[in-house]
Amino acid sequence: MKLGRNDPCWCGSGRKYKQCHEAFDHKIESMARQGHIVPSHSIIKTPEQIEGIKESAKINIACLDEVAAQIHVGMSTQEIDDIVYRVTTEMGGIPATLHYEGYPKSVCTSVNDQVCHGIPSEQVILQDGDIVNVDCSTILNGYYSDSSRMFMLGNVSEEDQKLVRVAKECVDLALKEVRPWGFIGDLGAVILAHAAENGYTVVREIGGHGCGLDFHEDPWIGYHTKRGEEMLMVPGMTFTIEPMINAGTQRIYTDQENGWEVYTLDGEDSAQWEYQVAVTEDGAQILSY
């Protein structure tokens, strides 16, 4: 519905449209006329909604901090799940992955050549030299947060140390590309280039996503992109940056028995860090890490 200039703004601020988002919408419309993909109002968060996401993120960060304090060689990945469930519920949250589309656990724990969605288990015991991605997602008062970190156990090879480091560098470089009136494709371009410079590949099929009012929202964040492509970034958008960096081929496969766990096709290791960010008026703010 077309708003009149004196109507209340669509964002819920209570201000007149002409004093709030009219110029903002005109700029987006201009970009759309130039052929760019632009965001709908539904994925642009209000300041109040972003504050709600931040409160959820406090729990998400606390879970990963507690995992960082306790993770060690010899523990099972189920123990990691127990930590996340305990911290989340004690702080009043709900693990977003638990029962999500049938997923059975409160967190994802992906070890070595597992790319993502590793299911915690009493039978999976962390070994000296393992690298592990712990991917945590939280719901609090209807707001969603999502982030992951890599952990290195014991005597990790120099090759895997480099893989973990470069995966983090990819996310940090992409973070610098998050700015209003830039494009989602800018993120993928810098990630793909940095991974390739270091001899690595980037998983194509799985990427980041909008997150905040739902677990998975638009836009989808792919990493095989060029600058100036994909959706326009505007203040109020919230999404994850989570490239999966493989030591070998980018090709992957999913465990056919459980339908969740994703592995590298060649058995080489994979690493991933994930930030949840908000686009601000002058750049980006990390919400969860």
Side-chain angles (χ1 to χ4, degrees):
M1 183 177 64
K2 189 73 173 177
L3 287 177
R5 298 186 70 231
N6 291 312
D7 289 337
C9 187
W10 56 264
C11 74
S13 66
R15 300 169 64 196
K16 292 181 178 180
Y17 180 51
K18 66 183 178 182
Q19 298 168 337
C20 196
H21 273 91
E22 184 181 35
F24 175 90
D25 282 350
H26 286 170
K27 191 167 185 176
I28 291 177
E29 290 166 5
S30 174
M31 298 299 286
R33 287 194 295 270
Q34 294 174 44
H36 296 294
I37 303 168
V38 300
S40 65
H41 289 166
S42 65
I43 64 173
I44 299 171
K45 312 301 189 295
T46 67
E48 293 75 19
Q49 289 171 333
I50 291 177
E51 288 304 311
I53 298 167
K54 287 180 181 178
E55 290 301 308
S56 175
K58 289 179 181 178
I59 300 175
N60 214 65
I61 293 166
C63 287
L64 291 171
D65 285 348
E66 188 64 17
V67 171
Q70 295 197 40
I71 195 168
H72 61 272
V73 172
M75 79 184 301
S76 70
T77 53
Q78 178 58 48
E79 291 176 76
I80 296 174
D81 190 79
D82 294 340
I83 291 168
V84 170
Y85 182 81
R86 174 181 58 79
V87 173
T88 302
T89 55
E90 286 180 353
M91 294 181 70
I94 300 168
T97 58
L98 187 59
H99 308 311
Y100 175 76
E101 295 186 351
Y103 186 79
K105 298 293 182 175
S106 299
V107 71
C108 297
T109 52
S110 304
V111 184
N112 297 333
D113 64 329
Q114 282 184 323
V115 175
C116 61
H117 304 158
I119 300 173
S121 170
E122 295 282 5
Q123 282 68 53
V124 179
I125 307 299
L126 299 180
Q127 305 293 322
D128 182 60
D130 282 347
I131 60 171
V132 188
N133 177 265
V134 179
D135 191 345
C136 187
S137 310
T138 304
I139 311 169
L140 179 69
N141 299 324
Y143 294 104
Y144 289 75
S145 53
D146 187 9
S147 57
S148 79
R149 301 180 196 172
M150 291 297 299
F151 298 96
M152 295 186 285
L153 283 297
N155 299 297
V156 173
S157 69
E158 290 185 6
E159 291 81 5
D160 274 350
Q161 289 183 47
K162 179 186 175 185
L163 176 65
V164 170
R165 173 176 56 80
V166 171
K168 177 72 158 49
E169 291 170 354
C170 283
V171 178
D172 288 334
L173 287 168
L175 180 65
K176 295 178 181 178
E177 299 293 330
V178 179
R179 60 178 66 93
W181 317 112
F183 296 91
I184 293 294
D186 301 349
L187 281 61
V190 72
I191 286 169
L192 194 63
H194 190 65
E197 286 168 7
N198 285 276
Y200 301 136
T201 61
V202 185
V203 172
R204 182 184 290 271
E205 297 91 337
I206 308 171
H209 52 89
C211 182
L213 304 184
D214 204 347
F215 197 174
H216 295 96
E217 305 171 347
D218 287 336
W220 187 76
I221 315 291
Y223 306 111
H224 288 254
T225 56
K226 297 178 181 178
R227 289 188 177 277
E229 294 184 344
E230 306 301 321
M231 186 178 286
L232 179 73
M233 292 184 284
V234 303
M237 290 173 65
T238 59
F239 52 81
T240 67
I241 306 172
E242 49 178 315
M244 298 160 198
I245 310 300
N246 292 353
T249 178
Q250 69 182 35
R251 297 179 65 192
I252 58 176
Y253 71 94
T254 301
D255 185 298
Q256 294 302 302
E257 290 188 12
N258 59 51
W260 283 103
E261 295 178 317
V262 178
Y263 294 82
T264 60
L265 188 63
D266 58 7
E268 294 291 321
D269 288 345
S270 182
Q272 174 200 15
W273 298 78
E274 177 183 9
Y275 296 163
Q276 182 181 12
V277 303
V279 183
T280 66
E281 294 292 340
D282 56 3
Q285 180 180 23
I286 298 176
L287 304 178
S288 189
Y289 59 88

